[in-house]
Amino acid sequence: MRRKNRSRPVEVSVVTRAVVAKSSGILLQTFGNPLIRKELRQRMRSVRSILALSMYLLAMGAIAFIFMYLNVQGQTLLLQPTRTAELFTFLSYLQLAMISFVTPGIAAGVISGERERQTLTVLLTTPLTPLTIIVSKWLASISFLSLLIVMTLPLYSIVFLFGGVVPSQVIAVFWLQLVTLGAIATISVFWSTFIQRTGWATVLSYGTVAVIYILLGIAGYLIDGVAAHNPDASAWTDAATLCYALNPLFMLASIVERFGLITPVYHNTLAASLFSSVDAHHLASSGSWFLFLTVYLAGSVVLLGACAWRLRPGAFSVFMRRLLSWVAR
Amino acid sequence: MIRIENLCKKYGRFEAVKNLNLDVRDGTVFGFVGENGAGKTTTLSILATLLRPTSGRAFVGGEEVTRNPSAVRRQVGYMPDSFGVYDDLTVREYLAFYGTAYHVAESLIESRTRDLLHRVNLEDKVDAYVNTLSRGMQQRLGLARSLIHDPPVLILDEPASGLDPRSRIEMKDLIKGLRDQGKTVLISSHILPELAEMCDEIGVIQNGSLVACAAVEIVTARANGQRMLGFELLEGGRLLGERLRPNPLVTEVVVQGEQRVEVLFSGSERQQVELIRELSLAGYAIKGVSEVAGSLEELFLRLTESDTKSAQIAQPENALPASRVV
């Protein structure tokens, strides 16, 4: 009995060590990838990047400070938890907007830029696989924005000082932002690979983002209106939920509305009327998160695979031939 | 080391490469000559695994480029005709990046970088940013980059294009040095006299087909096989030109004035003697006849002038087939 009790922690530690070793191995392999190292080195070396990071943090900090100052009017004791929640909501929307605007600008030139600089040809003659090239470029482009998001974590922690927001909300918002960032980066890398010119790739990336945010929102709103007049038409409601579920803005609204955070901020505004149509509890509980994550994660995998195929079409047949011979063995 | 069998590459209806056959032996420098759009870059791109052929096969070091491209990539150092460099990377980092991409051991990269930069005469630029280097320096760095994994085969597409004369000479010397190291080099260029100095063999490609391929000495001799004869006269150059034009052994007549006429003569030496005697008997005031040395440039121009002309050139008894001749 005693032996059994002793052996359990040992087993756990072995498993933990194995998991840590495996994870660190994958991390080392990923970030030891020469292309990622080069991209990060190039990106972080420029003064522009350092300035962008500093300015962003300063701007977010200033916004948080002004927001809080205006609310308390210099008297910290008057700060209400609901006001902190408003700040959190405001910062979350601001950060999502930043991700949606900046990501195409960074990621839409990763492959087309290489093509324009005439460096892609040489890169393709190295033993780096097209998938490695695409994933490395994708990771490098999201790493900078991920850093921006992570950098604002201390800023978000200010809201914990005064209450009003629970950690699960912050985690949910960060997950949403990261998945949105990854999805928009994938879309931008896709256009960058399939379109020769960076300018056009950027335009198409912004266009796709606009479709996701604006068209899906309007479509959901209209379908919801139809559904309101046809209470029996559950298909309409499902269609509206699908449109909302694929729109990161509405998913963010579902998080903050679920906790009753949206109304004070967007009271009597167009956004409030739009978001009020979102049944936050329904969105949050109807598998919308599952849908959101599945569509964007699976879509990202498919699009990145298509990019790898486009980069070197022959590689796919070589891969399939090897796979078949491996299966045959 | 490099073998191409019935290689074809089509872009839609346009046939960029047509049934190309080529064999490049180990340790030789092979020059690929052709006009713009002749199919040189397409062929080199197929060998560098950048393009897939429509039909036919290509091998590098025994590995077929479509079946085992990764093995081919490890054996080939490729330098395209125009390539860019990464901003914000030093020369050392640039080479280290490609070294790591080619799976060169970290411990080897530093020493190999030093050695290559010494070879391409850029050792003092090791910490300079690559985008600050001149065009010639970037070309030399490109050559160093293509050698970072010590490949047995080098494919260089117009390595001297856009370089000033001094840089061209440096590039030429570098390529000669590679031959001395036993590398197999496939090089395309328009600068034929330089190719003649560097190459062991040359192939002339036109409209996607190889129209001539042989050792440099043989090709030069072949150029001489259709000799350019210079007639020096006291007078009557134009009349001589008129007289020679209908002659079936004369391909081309260039009247350079009353005192000099040059003709491209495809007959034998005996026929040449008979022609001179015949002209003298006809009363032409010929002071002398000299043979103008045939150059690769002339051969190239003649071969690529038209398909008909190249067919004519392929006819003489010492003509070479459009495949490798040892």
Side-chain angles (χ1 to χ4, degrees):
Chain A
M1 189 70 184
R2 190 180 290 169
R3 189 175 288 173
K4 196 178 177 182
N5 283 341
R6 274 183 185 173
S7 67
R8 181 164 287 185
V10 173
E11 279 172 14
V12 170
S13 74
V14 167
V15 171
T16 312
R17 256 186 287 167
V19 168
V20 168
K22 187 74 182 168
S23 317
S24 56
I26 292 168
L27 272 175
L28 270 176
Q29 204 178 0
T30 306
F31 288 97
N33 176 315
L35 197 53
I36 291 188
R37 277 196 293 183
K38 178 195 79 69
E39 291 287 324
L40 292 181
R41 178 176 280 157
Q42 278 181 284
R43 200 174 293 280
M44 296 314 295
R45 176 171 279 168
S46 68
V47 180
R48 204 172 49 188
S49 299
I50 307 299
L51 273 176
L53 288 170
S54 311
M55 295 308 289
Y56 181 69
L57 207 53
L58 274 174
M60 290 290 272
I63 288 166
F65 177 77
I66 292 166
F67 196 93
M68 291 176 82
Y69 185 81
L70 289 178
N71 276 292
V72 301
Q73 292 174 335
Q75 297 176 52
T76 315
L77 286 173
L78 286 178
L79 190 74
Q80 299 295 313
T82 48
R83 297 284 167 85
T84 320
E86 287 173 18
L87 172 66
F88 170 74
T89 307
F90 185 72
L91 287 180
S92 301
Y93 279 111
L94 196 68
Q95 193 126 294
L96 188 67
M98 182 277 293
I99 288 167
S100 309
F101 276 110
V102 178
T103 310
I106 289 179
V110 292
I111 299 296
S112 51
E114 289 264 355
R115 210 179 273 128
E116 284 167 351
R117 282 196 305 271
Q118 296 182 310
T119 47
L120 187 63
T121 314
V122 173
L123 200 58
L124 287 172
T125 57
T126 65
L128 293 172
T129 64
L131 194 62
T132 308
I133 294 172
I134 290 291
V135 172
S136 305
K137 289 281 184 183
W138 177 76
L139 275 174
S141 61
I142 64 169
S143 62
F144 181 72
L145 285 165
S146 303
L147 182 63
L148 279 183
I149 295 174
V150 171
M151 270 171 57
T152 54
L153 271 173
L155 205 62
Y156 272 83
S157 67
I158 291 173
V159 298
F160 291 126
L161 288 176
F162 304 101
V165 179
V166 290
S168 61
Q169 278 175 274
V170 180
I171 291 167
V173 166
F174 270 80
W175 263 111
L176 177 97
Q177 289 175 344
L178 283 176
V179 173
T180 307
L181 165 63
I184 295 176
T186 305
I187 291 164
S188 306
V189 171
F190 174 81
W191 287 124
S192 183
T193 311
F194 279 81
I195 302 293
Q196 300 287 321
R197 294 273 158 210
T198 302
W200 276 109
T202 310
V203 168
L204 286 166
S205 304
Y206 278 117
T208 314
V209 171
V211 166
I212 290 170
Y213 278 106
I214 300 168
L215 281 190
L216 279 180
I218 293 170
Y221 186 67
L222 293 176
I223 294 169
D224 227 6
V226 174
H229 293 97
N230 299 285
D232 298 332
S234 61
W236 287 103
T237 315
D238 290 344
T241 307
L242 179 71
C243 290
Y244 289 137
L246 296 181
N247 190 328
L249 198 60
F250 280 83
M251 289 308 288
L252 180 60
S254 84
I255 298 171
V256 291
E257 180 66 16
R258 193 179 166 198
F259 294 95
L261 303 178
I262 195 167
T263 319
V265 184
Y266 297 104
H267 187 60
N268 285 339
T269 61
L270 175 66
S273 68
L274 259 177
F275 293 141
S276 64
S277 69
V278 182
D279 184 346
H281 293 277
H282 178 63
L283 254 188
S285 59
S286 65
S288 301
W289 272 100
F290 177 74
L291 195 68
F292 177 81
L293 290 174
T294 308
V295 168
Y296 283 115
L297 293 180
S300 294
V301 170
V302 170
L303 287 185
L304 291 177
C307 292
W309 171 81
R310 176 70 178 84
L311 213 53
R312 199 185 276 151
F316 185 70
S317 59
V318 172
F319 171 76
M320 287 306 290
R321 201 163 44 232
R322 282 185 187 164
L323 186 72
L324 286 174
S325 69
W326 181 76
V327 169
R329 273 209 304 274
Chain B
M1 183 54 89
I2 297 172
R3 200 170 83 246
I4 294 174
E5 294 174 356
N6 300 319
L7 197 75
C8 291
K9 177 67 187 175
K10 285 183 184 175
Y11 296 103
R13 286 182 181 177
F14 175 67
E15 222 174 346
V17 178
K18 299 172 196 165
N19 282 322
L20 191 75
N21 288 287
L22 190 69
D23 199 351
V24 180
R25 289 171 300 154
D26 281 13
T28 54
V29 179
F30 188 94
F32 218 26
V33 191
E35 294 168 313
N36 288 330
K40 303 186 300 290
T41 300
T42 303
T43 309
L44 299 190
S45 298
I46 290 170
L47 289 170
T49 73
L50 287 168
L51 287 176
R52 284 174 73 80
T54 310
S55 63
R57 298 193 301 173
F59 299 86
V60 176
E63 301 286 353
E64 195 181 343
V65 291
T66 52
R67 293 192 76 83
N68 200 356
S70 48
V72 172
R73 278 178 213 123
R74 281 193 291 273
Q75 293 189 68
V76 170
Y78 176 64
M79 190 166 137
D81 53 346
S82 56
F83 63 93
V85 290
Y86 294 111
D87 298 344
D88 301 322
L89 278 188
T90 64
V91 167
R92 187 201 303 274
E93 288 164 351
Y94 180 79
L95 290 178
F97 162 62
Y98 283 103
T100 324
Y102 276 105
H103 310 303
V104 178
E106 297 269 349
S107 53
L108 266 178
I109 289 176
E110 182 60 35
S111 60
R112 206 169 276 178
T113 298
R114 256 199 318 272
D115 173 50
L116 286 172
L117 290 180
H118 172 71
R119 218 188 294 174
V120 299
N121 201 18
L122 285 175
E123 61 260 72
D124 56 331
K125 299 285 181 188
V126 67
D127 290 318
Y129 283 98
V130 286
N131 54 330
T132 63
L133 301 180
S134 69
R135 175 77 199 268
M137 286 177 182
Q138 286 185 2
Q139 287 287 98
R140 282 184 277 151
L141 180 63
L143 187 63
R145 192 262 311 144
S146 61
L147 286 164
I148 191 72
H149 57 299
D150 195 21
V153 178
L154 271 169
I155 297 175
L156 312 175
D157 194 359
E158 307 264 3
S161 69
L163 295 184
D164 57 58
R166 185 186 176 86
S167 302
R168 279 181 183 181
I169 291 166
E170 285 173 350
M171 185 60 78
K172 192 171 63 184
D173 292 341
L174 281 171
I175 293 164
K176 279 181 186 171
L178 292 173
R179 177 175 54 188
D180 298 340
Q181 286 175 2
K183 305 270 185 205
T184 306
V185 184
L186 181 56
I187 177 172
S188 79
S189 178
H190 287 122
I191 307 157
L192 297 175
E194 280 182 7
L195 268 189
E197 281 182 56
M198 282 186 286
C199 298
D200 302 306
E201 295 174 40
I202 63 161
V204 180
I205 186 168
Q206 189 202 4
N207 294 331
S209 301
L210 205 63
V211 292
C213 180
V216 170
E217 296 80 13
I218 297 173
V219 173
T220 313
R222 182 180 158 186
N224 291 336
Q226 200 180 34
R227 293 181 295 278
M228 183 70 87
L229 301 177
F231 287 85
E232 297 288 340
L233 301 110
L234 287 174
E235 57 185 359
R238 286 180 208 286
L239 283 172
L240 179 64
E242 293 302 316
R243 165 77 182 249
L244 287 172
R245 272 200 180 96
N247 191 317
L249 295 174
V250 173
T251 316
E252 198 177 327
V253 177
V254 181
V255 180
Q256 294 183 332
E258 286 298 317
Q259 274 86 42
R260 185 169 172 85
V261 176
E262 282 187 1
V263 296
L264 196 58
F265 186 72
S266 58
S268 64
E269 284 185 343
R270 183 173 294 279
Q271 287 168 319
Q272 181 185 325
V273 171
E274 280 172 10
L275 176 70
I276 295 165
R277 193 169 57 190
E278 183 189 316
L279 291 173
S280 299
L281 288 173
Y284 289 97
I286 299 170
K287 283 199 297 184
V289 180
S290 61
E291 201 170 292
V292 181
S295 67
L296 279 176
E297 295 273 7
E298 286 162 10
L299 172 75
F300 174 72
L301 287 173
R302 270 182 260 153
L303 285 174
T304 55
E305 216 167 46
S306 71
D307 287 334
T308 325
K309 280 276 170 69
S310 57
Q312 283 174 359
I313 288 165
Q315 290 311 308
E317 53 204 50
N318 58 346
L320 302 163
S323 58
R324 203 180 71 75
V325 174
V326 183

